[in-house]
Structure formats: structure tokens, C-alpha cells
Amino acid sequence: MRISVIGCGYLGAVHAAAMASQGHDVIGIDVDPVRLGALREGRVPFHEPGLEQLLSEGMSAGRLRFSTEIADAATAQVHFVAVNTPQRLGGDEADLGYVEAALRSLAPHLAPGALVVGKSTVPVGTARRLAPLLAGRAELVWNPEFLREGHAIDDTLRPDRLVYGVGDEPESAERARVLLDEVYAPQLATGVPRIVADRETAELVKVSANAFLALKISFINAVADVCAATGADVNLLADAIGHDARIGRRFLGAGLGFGGGCLPKDIRAFGARAAELGEDAIGSLLREADRINLGRRHRAVELLRTALSSQPGAATSVDGGGDLRGRRIAVLGLAFKPDSDDIRDSPALSVATELALLGAEVVAHDPHAVPKVRIARPELTCVDTADEAVVGADAVLVLTEWREYRELDPAALAATTPARLVLDARNCLDPAAWRAAGWDYRGLGRHEQPVGALVA
């Protein structure tokens, strides 16, 4: 099938390469010539495991090409709109300017019988409102994406489910279903569940899924604070309640909270849209989840200051916390999550920045995000290895749970820094192993004493 993908950022580039790998003839359209120049050369302007290989294979086979000209999409039977929907400047609402511009640009070039498929995350009611922009030339449906950064290819080729949000007219809706079934034939052949719904339900499926994940993460982080105050172990607690099939263990990892270019802005936009509809209960719930989440970043800084103030001869600031001025702090992790170089709304980068503002000498490492951080935060010192960051540090902060950090040898690192203070903001290290190697281990949301210590 001939397919176009409008917008070749993270979502669009992944979708275009994945569709080409399934045998479709795909053209990716984007207005950014620099981005397209990189893609044409087989270079991905962001980190996503396996994408460069998939991209190169598609272009070598002649099934994938890129253009800045929207007219080049004219022969496609199905057009996927995968442009960004950022948070509106000065508000919580989603900015739909890119979606509207894409539909307006595409409309004059639509062939008879074409199908336009929205992939971008949008507020409920968007498809119904924007359908007239196509001037009756094509049906507009919504097919939300459920990608996890670092696993986007697998999530596209082997998704948990496919959701089609179709229009009200039965004949057009059935035709849209048939076309999308042809696009996703390999997925459907393996038994991937397909849900055909109205457009509003499809739009809400995506934002509701993100909202639920955000609530789950903020819930366990709120519980973690109670654990820290009483000596309970939040990881064991999460294991125990995670065995309940109604709850599950995933996304119950207490720590620094969520970030990135999707979850934070999506829950804010969901709350804003609900308020517009006069239904603010979900908005209140999500605002509290957002508040808890953002508070984790400052709590990590305060945990560090408390740990530093407890050291012999440590200087304290006027509020009694450890004075960070002149302290060398090793920061391990800057991306918002492992297997990504995305620093948008990154909790790790937020903590590193706050430490620098408080006078700390921040020396940071990340396996993939450093080039972006050097542009966005030039005041931070970034180095090429974790070992280099740790040498001589007054404290080590693990802020992103990259595998290479989880596998660090605490005994070997202990020889490089006399302070031997580690703050595990992602609860991804083995506390017993680090303490056995002579480290003062502190976990975010964990009591500072080992499991089994008496609580007064």
C-alpha cells in the first residue's frame, strides 16, 4: 500500500520506517530540511535503538523516501498525521497548530478515496472539529500511538492493541476499517487486539492511558514518603501489592518521577480539556499527580543536602541543610528515562540544574543525552564516562536508571572518591552491595537505615 507520514519527528520517523519494513511504499513529509537531510542519509537525529537499521533497510529496498513537498504525498492511499502537539505557551492546553497546518496543507493533494489517519495525541473532540478542513475530500479517523521511548519499534510492529476511531457514517467507517486492516495486516495476523470505536473514544484512550500511568507513578511516590518516614521498604511494598492482579507491578517503581515530551504535557492537556467540558474531577486528580511528580525533584535535592549535612565537619546553610556551594556532585543520568536521549521535562536534568543553581560543581554523564545537554545547559560540566564523573565527588547521584549504572561496581568506585555518598533517586541499585563496599547509601523514598533497623 502507498502510505504517507506527515511529520517525521520521533513518532513519524518511527512509524514511516516500521511501515516500510512491512512492505508498504512509504513517503515521509516534513518541513524541516535539516531533519530530512539526516534521515535521507540514514541518520536518526535522536536516540532510538534499532531505528537507524530499519531506516537504512527501508531506503535500500526502495520502499522509504522523504520529501519536504506535501504534493509528493498525493498518490498515497493512506496518510498518517504524526506531527507534534506541544503544551500551549502560557497554559496547559495542547497546541494543535501543527495538526491544523498539516491537514490544511494536505487537503488539496488528496486523491479520491484517500484516508487521513491522525496519530498525534490530541484532546477529545479534535477529529470531529478538524474534519471539515479536508473539505470532504477524505475521511478523517484517529489511530492513537502507544509508543515507549526506547522501545518504539517493537511497540509499532508488535503493539499491545490497535485502536481505530472512525466517523459516524457506517459506509465510510467500514471503508476506513478495511484500509487500516490492510495497513496493519501483519499485526492483526498475530492476534493483536483491534478495537474499532468512534473518534472521541479513540482520542480519549491515549490520554486516559497516559493519565492512569501518571497516577500510578505519583501514587507510589506518595507512599514512598510514608515509607521513608517510618522505616518501611517501598520496593518490598510495591512487590507485595504488585502481586495483586488488579494492580500489577509495572510503573510502581518509586523514585524521581516521570518526565519526557509526552506524559507531563498530555495529563495537563487532558485536565484542561476536561475543565472546558465542565468536568473537572479528572483535572483535579491529575493536577495533584503533577504536583507530587514535580515535588520529587526538589525532594531529591533536599535528600542530598540532608545527607551532606550529616557528614563530619560539614558546612550547613541558613535552613540547616547541607551547603552545596563548591561541592563536587557527580550526576549519573540526564535523559528522562533510559534508552533515550530525550531531555524534555527530564527530572534528572531538572535536579542537575537546581544543584548548579545552589552552587554545586555538577559533573554529569549520560550514555546518550550529553550532546543535547551541552546545548541546552552549557553551565553543566558533562564528561564522557561515569567513572570520570565520580572521581573526587562529594556525592554521587543516580538520576536515570541506565543499565550501565545499575551494573556499576561499588567497590571499584569507592577507591575513586573518599566521600562514598550515593543517592539512588531511581531505587535501581542494590543497597546491600553498596553499603558493603563502604558507601553511605540513600534511596529516594527509602529510610536511610537498612531493612530490619528498629524505628523509634
Side-chain angles (χ1 to χ4, degrees), residues 51 54 92 170 172 244 251 253 265 303 355 369 378 449:
L51 181 55
L54 207 64
D92 288 343
S172 297
D244 188 327
F251 290 90
K265 62 99 174 172
L303 179 60
L355 294 174
Q449 296 298 321

Side-chain angles (χ1 to χ4, degrees), residues 47 333-336 340-343 365-375 382 402:
H47 177 68
L334 295 164
F336 88 96
S340 171
D341 63 350
D342 195 345
I343 59 172
H365 172 262
D366 187 282
H368 288 282
V370 164
K372 290 185 176 180
V373 172
R374 282 178 171 150
I375 295 171
C382 295
W402 286 95

Side-chain angles (χ1 to χ4, degrees), residues 218-230 232 234 237 241 254 296 445:
S218 286
F219 168 81
I220 198 63
N221 280 330
V223 172
D225 292 340
V226 179
C227 290
T230 59
V234 69
L237 180 149
I241 66 175
R296 306 306 293 169

